[in-house]
Coordinates of all heavy atoms in Angstrom, one line a residue:
Chain M
D62 N -11.6 -13.1 19.8 CA -11.8 -13.9 21.0 C -11.8 -13.0 22.2 O -10.9 -12.2 22.3 CB -10.6 -15.0 21.0 CG -10.6 -15.8 22.3 OD1 -11.5 -16.7 22.3 OD2 -9.9 -15.5 23.2
D63 N -12.8 -13.3 23.2 CA -12.9 -12.5 24.3 C -11.5 -12.5 25.3 O -11.1 -11.5 25.8 CB -14.0 -13.0 25.2 CG -15.4 -12.5 24.7 OD1 -15.3 -11.6 23.8 OD2 -16.5 -13.0 25.1
G64 N -11.0 -13.8 25.4 CA -9.8 -13.9 26.2 C -8.7 -13.1 25.4 O -8.0 -12.4 26.3
D65 N -8.5 -13.3 24.2 CA -7.4 -12.5 23.5 C -7.6 -11.0 23.7 O -6.6 -10.3 23.7 CB -7.4 -12.9 22.0 CG -7.0 -14.4 21.7 OD1 -6.4 -14.9 22.7 OD2 -7.2 -14.8 20.6
R66 N -8.8 -10.7 23.6 CA -9.2 -9.2 23.7 C -8.8 -8.7 25.1 O -8.3 -7.6 25.2 CB -10.6 -9.0 23.4 CG -11.1 -7.6 23.3 CD -12.4 -7.7 22.5 NE -12.8 -6.2 22.4 CZ -12.3 -5.5 21.6 NH1 -11.4 -5.9 20.7 NH2 -12.6 -4.1 21.5
A67 N -9.2 -9.4 26.1 CA -8.8 -8.9 27.5 C -7.4 -8.9 27.8 O -6.8 -7.9 28.3 CB -9.5 -9.9 28.6
R68 N -6.7 -9.8 27.2 CA -5.1 -9.8 27.3 C -4.6 -8.6 26.5 O -3.6 -8.0 27.1 CB -4.5 -11.2 26.8 CG -4.6 -12.3 27.8 CD -3.9 -13.6 27.3 NE -4.7 -14.2 26.3 CZ -5.7 -15.1 26.5 NH1 -6.0 -15.3 27.7 NH2 -6.4 -15.7 25.6
A69 N -5.1 -8.4 25.4 CA -4.6 -7.2 24.6 C -4.8 -5.9 25.5 O -3.9 -5.0 25.5 CB -5.4 -7.1 23.3
L70 N -6.1 -5.8 26.0 CA -6.3 -4.5 26.8 C -5.4 -4.4 28.0 O -4.8 -3.4 28.3 CB -7.8 -4.5 27.2 CG -8.8 -4.3 26.1 CD1 -10.2 -4.5 26.7 CD2 -8.6 -3.0 25.5
A71 N -5.2 -5.5 28.7 CA -4.2 -5.5 29.9 C -2.8 -5.2 29.5 O -2.1 -4.4 30.1 CB -4.3 -6.9 30.5
N72 N -2.4 -5.7 28.3 CA -1.0 -5.5 27.8 C -0.9 -3.9 27.5 O 0.1 -3.3 27.7 CB -0.9 -6.3 26.6 CG 0.5 -6.2 26.0 OD1 0.9 -5.4 25.3 ND2 1.4 -7.1 26.6
N73 N -2.0 -3.3 26.9 CA -2.0 -2.0 26.5 C -1.8 -1.0 27.9 O -1.2 -0.1 27.9 CB -3.1 -1.6 25.7 CG -2.8 -1.7 24.2 OD1 -2.3 -1.0 23.5 ND2 -3.1 -3.0 23.8

Side-chain angles (χ1 to χ4, degrees):
Chain M
D62 177 80
D63 284 346
D65 290 343
R66 188 163 180 72
R68 276 184 288 279
L70 291 172
N72 187 273
N73 275 273

